Amino acid sequence: MLPFDTIEEAATFMGRNLTAAETMWFKYSAKKSDYYLYCHNILFLFLIFSVVPLPLVFVEMMRSLGFDKYKIQPKVSLSLPEMFKCYKDVMRMFVLVVGPLQLVSYPSIKIIGIRTGLPLPSLWEIVAQLTVYFMIEDYTNYWIHRFLHGKWGYEKIHRVHHEYTAPICFAAPYAHWLEVLILGIPSFLGPAIVPGHMITFWLWIALRQIEAIETHSGYDFPWSPTRFIPFYGGADYHDYHHYVGGQSQSNFASVFTYCDYIYGTDKGYRYHKKVLRKLKEGSKVDGAQNGGSYYYPTQDLKSE
């Protein structure tokens, strides 16, 4: 809740007129508690999990219209009821775990210093903080993910997420309840180390989930703007990790590829891509796809 009754009081406090964005923020948040503003994350996450995947569901249903050439594993297809079942499982986890966790974690937000007041952060401040958040989350998630592919971690926890060997958009948050809790730690570390404004925190949570949906889409679109992000993994990169499954010791990174490269855990993927290029050049792949899709020709590659 802002400590001002009027816009004029806020302008006097800051020694300048409010920007258009700050005026909108004042009108919306002035009488709302910080806890209420923080709980917006529950609504945002629900909308993201429910709405963002819908275009990809349409694409999966309309592969005959030409979208099939962008499918990374074109021989795999899920029906609408199968995708809806995944969505229901995700929503069950949302209601039982994610939502309650958001409701009770507010004190930690106050402790680390996420602010809701004025002035609002500049665009460059937001971009800089989001970049730091992505880097911290990616590095810590990498090591947790590697742990979850150990014998105990995979058998007890992570195997649930790998039930989809050809990932779909709704399966991004599909996981064991303990994995949902554990992987919340990397997402929280960035804001804890470099606390910012609540708006930046909202954007961080939203963008991280949208990125996860994109990398689990099962499609590699040549027009995706994420192709221009340096060291970004993307759908093709993470799809290989799901394809290999429990045996996977490759492509652990959640967003970028530098950790896998530094620690040598992308060798299987690079070998796989090298084999595919040779097969494609030699025209030995039966029915090879064009465009953005990649055909997984044999099970033997899973051992790499």
Side-chain angles (χ1 to χ4, degrees):
M1 183 178 295
L2 297 180
F4 313 110
D5 293 324
T6 65
I7 292 178
E8 289 73 22
E9 288 183 12
T12 300
F13 173 79
M14 293 193 296
R16 61 170 175 80
N17 291 329
L18 275 63
T19 64
E22 288 170 338
T23 300
M24 292 176 61
W25 179 251
F26 180 91
K27 291 179 178 179
Y28 182 76
S29 66
K31 302 302 180 183
K32 294 179 175 65
S33 69
D34 289 355
Y35 179 70
Y36 181 84
L37 293 173
Y38 172 68
C39 288
H40 281 46
N41 273 323
I42 298 175
L43 175 61
F44 295 152
L45 288 171
F46 172 76
L47 291 175
I48 289 168
F49 291 159
S50 301
V51 176
V52 173
L54 292 182
L56 293 165
V57 172
F58 173 81
V59 166
E60 183 69 18
M61 293 295 97
M62 300 298 176
R63 286 167 59 173
S64 60
L65 298 180
F67 293 114
D68 197 59
K69 64 183 179 181
Y70 303 117
K71 181 74 172 177
I72 301 170
Q73 297 189 51
K75 289 191 174 184
V76 179
S77 180
L78 293 180
S79 65
L80 187 60
E82 288 173 322
M83 288 189 285
F84 184 64
K85 179 184 181 302
C86 180
Y87 172 73
K88 288 192 297 182
D89 291 338
V90 168
M91 283 298 104
R92 184 181 301 111
M93 187 67 65
F94 180 84
V95 172
L96 296 178
V97 178
V98 178
L101 181 63
Q102 291 288 315
L103 291 174
V104 302
S105 60
Y106 173 71
S108 62
I109 295 298
K110 295 298 291 184
I111 291 172
I112 66 176
I114 298 293
R115 63 186 183 89
T116 60
L118 296 172
L120 294 184
S122 68
L123 177 61
W124 290 113
E125 181 182 345
I126 291 174
V127 171
Q129 289 179 334
L130 289 176
T131 300
V132 171
Y133 296 173
F134 270 108
M135 295 294 289
I136 292 174
E137 192 279 341
D138 187 69
Y139 187 79
T140 51
N141 185 289
Y142 171 86
W143 290 106
I144 293 175
H145 196 179
R146 281 191 69 169
F147 164 76
L148 290 175
H149 270 270
K151 181 177 176 59
W152 184 90
Y154 189 84
E155 291 180 355
K156 300 297 184 181
I157 302 174
H158 195 49
R159 63 176 177 78
V160 175
H161 184 65
H162 275 272
E163 289 176 9
Y164 290 89
T165 56
I168 60 173
C169 48
F170 281 131
Y174 180 83
H176 189 282
W177 66 268
L178 186 54
E179 179 171 348
V180 174
L181 294 178
I182 293 173
L183 291 182
I185 297 172
S187 296
F188 185 74
L189 275 179
I193 295 172
V194 187
H197 198 275
M198 184 66 75
I199 290 177
T200 307
F201 187 76
W202 288 348
L203 285 172
W204 159 239
I205 296 299
L207 289 175
R208 179 63 185 92
Q209 299 308 316
I210 292 171
E211 180 275 331
I213 290 171
E214 193 266 343
T215 56
H216 286 82
S217 68
Y219 286 85
D220 189 29
F221 298 115
W223 57 77
S224 175
T226 56
R227 286 177 173 268
F228 299 100
I229 301 176
F231 307 108
Y232 184 78
D236 176 60
Y237 190 82
H238 192 68
D239 196 280
Y240 174 79
H241 177 82
H242 275 262
Y243 170 75
V244 177
Q247 305 172 56
S248 179
Q249 293 299 316
S250 186
N251 296 22
F252 294 114
S254 60
V255 182
F256 304 108
T257 61
Y258 71 94
C259 278
D260 282 310
Y261 180 79
I262 291 173
Y263 299 112
T265 48
D266 64 347
K267 292 180 180 178
Y269 174 73
R270 286 189 280 127
Y271 172 79
H272 176 76
K273 301 299 288 185
K274 181 180 179 180
V275 170
L276 288 184
R277 282 194 297 270
K278 288 183 177 179
L279 289 172
K280 199 169 185 179
E281 290 169 1
S283 300
K284 295 179 180 179
V285 177
D286 183 28
Q289 301 293 313
N290 296 317
S293 65
Y294 297 85
Y295 176 61
Y296 293 87
T298 72
Q299 297 294 314
D300 295 338
L301 292 178
K302 286 190 174 186
S303 62
E304 297 300 328

